[in-house]
Amino acid sequence: MTSFVRKDVASNTAAEARREADEPHSPVVRFGTGAPLRLDAGVELNHLQIGYQTYGEPNAAGTNAVLVCHALTGDQHAASLNPVTGKPGWWETMVGPGRPIDTERFFVICANVLGGCMGTTGPASTNPETGRPYGLDMPLVTIRDMVNAQAMLLDHLGIEKLLCVAGGSMGGMQVLQWAASYPERVFSAMPIATGARHSAQNIAFHEVGRQAVMADPDWRGGRYLAEGVTPHRGLAVARMAAHITYMSDQSLHNKFGRRLQNREMPTFGFDADFQVESYLRHQGESFVQRFDPNSYLYVTRAMDYFDLAADYGGVLANAFRGSKTRFCVASFTSDWLFPTEDSRAIVHALNASGASVSFTEIESDKGHDAFLLEEPQLFAIARGFLDSAARALGLPTGRSA
């Protein structure tokens, strides 16, 4: 296969991954050996480190905190420049002054997930006990492990209860886990474009991506950082395959159709003849500049393992039994990665548990990524839901959009 990722990108990838993994461009909290995190894998993780960002200020009563949970390849920079790419935060459409999650009213917290590569302990982090990157010596983690680590962060920050937990995709899984594991700490929850378990099809897509990474000769059994190489070709292919699932057929057609890339006739070769091919190659190349390949293996596996009902006797409603948390569940009509039926299953379980829940299916042709893009209906729903929760806790009314 012809490589479409430049050699200089490969060397930059390793350097950036190492710097951000250990010394992120964000606040960081480090827990010593006296505060280990017990993982679902049955082992304790010592020397836990969490990279995070905050936006806005906490009020005197500590009642205005909103936890934002990022999706698969996101990070703590929800509404601030990414230090690796220099691009705006991944949820600046939703988080910021006057936005639905208004940083002039709310104290917003976003942490890099456990297993990530932007300052929270993950396979790219240096293991203090060996002085080398964890690599595959890092235990596998779950969504519940990620949430338990976030709970430790909130304890460190002195946040006893959250006004809201919000997130989409893998972030939505964390929202559901928060509501199940810490119902007394979550006043309201907003899971978007997500499911209470990962489907067989989604597991299959993830496995294709992992195999692409591990088939790259430079993966070196996960030891590439120690050996000074990076499996950038495999990771780029994994990202290309995944990115297709984030869009819809209609959005791909609207954006590219069958238009050729800077030419009038096909080359009758394997260059990027079509615009959509060029776009996917660009997505793959840009991704390897900011993400660690082993982290990709770990966080996709965490999503695969997620099955909230399995922890409650196979009955999803049992996860929310007796919960006082308010829920707002949202899906998108063109999302085939987490279709509306996944959200309806969550809503039915919440109804069966007696929880307070509202649900909306938003008309959109943008596919799964719609929750990250300009979607006025989502903004209006999120703003209204948060305003209602804030009023219930006696917080000041926000300004109009």
Side-chain angles (χ1 to χ4, degrees):
M1 182 181 75
T2 302
S3 175
F4 53 86
V5 180
R6 300 196 327 261
K7 295 293 185 182
D8 60 331
V9 169
S11 60
N12 289 340
T13 303
E16 291 293 341
R18 295 301 300 122
R19 283 194 289 270
E20 289 300 318
D22 290 332
E23 299 292 338
H25 286 76
S26 71
V28 64
V29 58
R30 297 178 175 90
F31 298 93
T33 55
L37 175 63
R38 182 74 178 178
L39 302 177
D40 281 344
V43 299
E44 289 186 345
L45 181 64
N46 291 302
H47 311 290
L48 173 64
Q49 173 174 303
I50 301 176
Y52 68 99
Q53 282 282 15
T54 64
Y55 310 92
E57 299 293 335
N59 62 12
T63 56
N64 70 332
V66 175
L67 179 67
V68 168
C69 302
H70 71 71
L72 182 71
T73 60
D75 49 48
Q76 64 269 44
H77 302 284
S80 50
L81 291 180
N82 185 293
V84 177
T85 65
K87 293 181 179 179
W90 56 268
W91 225 11
E92 287 197 347
T93 56
M94 185 75 81
V95 179
R99 297 291 189 179
I101 303 177
D102 190 345
T103 52
E104 293 180 339
R105 304 175 61 200
F106 307 127
F107 178 53
V108 181
I109 306 149
C110 185
N112 188 214
V113 297
L114 185 68
C117 53
M118 291 290 284
T120 296
T121 302
S125 305
T126 298
N127 182 348
E129 296 180 1
T130 65
R132 298 188 299 273
Y134 278 101
L136 298 194
D137 290 336
M138 171 87 182
L140 289 182
V141 301
T142 64
I143 298 296
R144 182 162 52 190
D145 293 332
M146 295 175 181
V147 166
N148 288 339
Q150 291 164 1
M152 292 175 67
L153 170 64
L154 294 187
D155 290 343
H156 174 81
L157 295 175
I159 304 297
E160 295 182 5
K161 189 164 184 174
L162 292 161
L163 168 67
C164 187
V165 185
S169 194
M170 188 181 82
M173 290 180 169
Q174 294 165 65
V175 172
L176 295 172
Q177 188 68 65
W178 259 102
S181 295
Y182 301 96
E184 73 285 351
R185 300 187 70 168
V186 180
F187 185 75
S188 66
M190 190 160 48
I192 306 168
T194 194
R197 65 178 182 177
H198 223 203
S199 70
Q201 177 177 261
N202 289 349
I203 295 171
F205 278 121
H206 276 174
E207 176 61 4
V208 169
R210 287 190 294 264
Q211 288 299 319
V213 172
M214 293 187 287
D216 190 316
D218 285 338
W219 185 59
R220 308 285 177 92
R223 298 183 300 272
Y224 52 87
L225 287 176
E227 298 186 16
V229 295
T230 307
H232 56 275
R233 292 179 295 265
L235 182 60
V237 171
R239 178 62 171 182
M240 290 169 65
H243 197 78
I244 296 169
T245 71
Y246 304 151
M247 303 182 72
S248 68
D249 178 59
Q250 189 62 48
S251 64
L252 283 169
H253 176 77
N254 292 344
K255 196 176 183 73
F256 307 108
R258 289 181 49 84
R259 292 186 291 276
L260 297 177
Q261 176 73 13
N262 299 325
R263 62 200 59 172
E264 295 182 359
M265 296 291 293
T267 62
F268 295 98
F270 295 103
D271 195 5
D273 273 3
F274 294 95
Q275 288 182 10
V276 67
E277 293 176 308
S278 180
Y279 170 76
L280 289 175
R281 293 186 184 194
H282 170 74
Q283 289 294 325
E285 180 172 344
S286 61
F287 183 61
V288 302
Q289 298 178 52
R290 68 175 181 85
F291 211 82
D292 176 68
N294 278 341
S295 279
Y296 191 79
L297 305 184
Y298 276 68
V299 292
T300 56
R301 204 51 159 167
M303 288 188 74
D304 292 349
Y305 284 150
F306 187 65
D307 183 353
L308 191 56
D311 297 327
Y312 296 88
V315 180
L316 184 57
N318 290 343
F320 310 111
R321 190 75 62 189
S323 175
K324 304 300 183 185
T325 302
R326 302 177 174 201
F327 291 86
C328 178
V329 181
S331 68
F332 300 93
T333 55
S334 58
D335 184 353
W336 57 277
L337 194 63
F338 286 98
T340 293
E341 64 189 63
D342 289 353
S343 291
R344 290 193 187 279
I346 296 168
V347 173
H348 291 158
L350 288 168
N351 284 329
S353 72
S356 171
V357 56
S358 61
F359 168 66
T360 183
E361 181 184 32
I362 298 170
E363 186 75 30
S364 172
D365 65 1
K366 298 184 178 74
H368 182 62
D369 265 356
F371 78 95
L372 298 171
L373 305 173
E374 290 285 344
E375 282 291 352
Q377 189 176 349
L378 175 63
F379 300 162
I381 290 165
R383 188 186 302 277
F385 179 67
L386 277 170
D387 282 349
S388 176
R391 283 196 302 272
L393 290 182
L395 295 180
T397 303
R399 68 183 182 181
S400 300

